[in-house]
Amino acid sequence: MTDETYSSRRPGGALAAPGRIKEISSVSNPIVKDIRALAQKRHRDETGLFLVEGLKLVLDGIESGWDLATLVVSKAALQGGSEVLTRAVSRAVGLGADVVEASAKVLEAIARRDNPQAAIGVFRRQLMPISRIRLQPGEVAVALDRVRDPGNLGTILRTIDATGAKAVILVGDCVDPFSLETVRATMGSIFAVPVVKAKAAEFLDWRAGFTGQIVGTHMSGTVDYRAPDYAGGATLLFMGNEQAGLSEEMAAACSVLVRIPQAGRADSLNLAVATGVMLFEARRGALVL
Ligand code: SAM
């Protein structure tokens, strides 16, 4: 198992050495520089780390068993007596994470905005190998062909989580699921939904052994999106790129191409909206109030 493999193990475990606490007020501190560099994909790829803003999301990550490397907290909020933050610091130290008690300037520099959250977590990312995607009858996963927009990807991850779908497969050259914008848009669902990255050829290899249906969504689809039987077998919903839709090669890999009927002048729906419509239809029988 690599450090990037999806896992339910609690990082650090009971025997983890306690983390260290540092106070940092200068934005030119090397630790701050390293954390700020995680805004760039190259640094996330090199280190396997990514940023999560906000105490609730950081706690979600810890609860979900993701490996917290560093917790950056507002020194002012700690000094102001924030109990939740103090508890989070103890928890992080217990898990072996380093803690940075940061000045407002340092927090702003890391979050790259004014009024940043009082806690920012640096987590180790996790990816699932495509071979581990095995869907039972009635289960649904989503594949995205070259998704480019971080807001769309984050919203889709959140909707996959909300509908109880199993995973997302990012096919081809997709936006980074661990960018700050994507993670923000997931509202914590980044920790709940297994993410697979696959080159087109890898996806097609996996597809050859997949016994469920692949429901492709296409502006030239001739089947209504409500027609497939989503309850009987396993389903992979396949969504196209924001500009170009599904490539011909990927459309050919689908069992059926469906369309969501539209009124009015819009050419198409936004990708995240279309994915939401598809997910709620495919999971309709499984979702009850
Ligand atoms: N110009 C692109 C095209 O012609 O395919 C539009 C792409 S659309 C913005 C992005 C993706 O959302 C599509 O590839 C498809 O997966 C999905 N989508 C959007 N509207 C849809 C609809 N009415 N029916 C089926 N899928 C739709």
Side-chain angles (χ1 to χ4, degrees), residues 225-286:
Y225 76 109
R226 291 160 287 202
D229 173 15
Y230 296 105
T235 300
L236 182 72
L237 301 174
F238 206 171
M239 312 299 300
N241 165 270
E242 289 93 338
Q243 268 78 47
L246 279 178
S247 71
E248 276 183 30
E249 190 182 30
M250 293 304 152
C254 295
S255 323
V256 60
L257 291 179
V258 302
R259 192 158 55 88
I260 304 165
Q262 294 180 206
R265 295 184 54 179
D267 285 341
S268 61
L269 297 170
N270 159 276
L271 169 62
V273 170
T275 310
V277 171
M278 292 302 299
L279 275 167
F280 275 92
E281 177 60 22
R283 297 284 300 150
R284 187 154 53 96

Side-chain angles (χ1 to χ4, degrees), residues 133-141 164-166 210-213 229-236 282-283 285-286:
I133 300 265
R134 290 183 209 106
L135 301 176
Q136 301 302 313
E139 290 185 344
V140 175
K166 293 295 168 192
F210 178 60
T211 52
Q213 60 177 345
D229 173 15
Y230 296 105
T235 300
L236 182 72
R283 297 284 300 150

Side-chain angles (χ1 to χ4, degrees), residues 41 44 47 62 66 76 91 97 99 107 109 112 140 153 172 175 185 202 206 210 212 230 247 265 277 283:
K41 182 170 184 305
R44 291 194 296 274
T47 59
I62 293 174
W66 285 53
R91 183 116 187 247
V99 173
L107 273 169
R112 292 167 193 270
V140 175
L153 178 54
V175 65
E202 264 177 281
W206 172 86
F210 178 60
Y230 296 105
S247 71
R265 295 184 54 179
V277 171
R283 297 284 300 150

Side-chain angles (χ1 to χ4, degrees), residues 59-205:
L59 293 176
D60 278 355
I62 293 174
E63 289 303 327
S64 309
W66 285 53
D67 187 356
L68 177 68
T70 305
L71 176 65
V72 184
V73 286
S74 155
K75 185 158 185 263
L78 276 180
Q79 284 175 340
S82 167
E83 279 181 28
V84 276
L85 217 49
T86 307
R87 274 203 301 273
V89 167
S90 310
R91 183 116 187 247
V93 170
L95 285 169
D98 289 335
V99 173
V100 171
E101 295 181 3
S103 64
K105 270 206 175 98
V106 165
L107 273 169
E108 276 169 17
I110 293 173
R112 292 167 193 270
R113 59 167 159 187
D114 296 339
N115 302 318
Q117 304 260 7
I120 298 176
V122 180
F123 281 87
R124 197 161 302 284
R125 68 187 187 183
Q126 296 185 23
L127 290 166
M128 183 185 261
I130 196 162
S131 57
R132 278 189 54 192
I133 300 265
R134 290 183 209 106
L135 301 176
Q136 301 302 313
E139 290 185 344
V140 175
V142 174
L144 301 172
D145 183 13
R146 296 161 298 150
V147 59
R148 298 305 311 160
D149 183 272
N152 277 344
L153 178 54
T155 305
I156 290 169
L157 282 163
R158 186 177 174 183
T159 313
I160 289 175
D161 182 15
T163 52
K166 293 295 168 192
V168 69
I169 305 176
L170 303 177
V171 182
D173 186 17
C174 289
V175 65
D176 183 11
F178 298 104
S179 76
L180 201 49
E181 298 93 318
T182 306
V183 172
R184 258 180 208 150
T186 71
M187 297 293 289
S189 295
I190 187 70
F191 297 121
V193 178
V195 177
V196 173
K197 288 212 257 185
K199 297 198 170 81
E202 264 177 281
F203 173 76
L204 293 171
D205 274 358

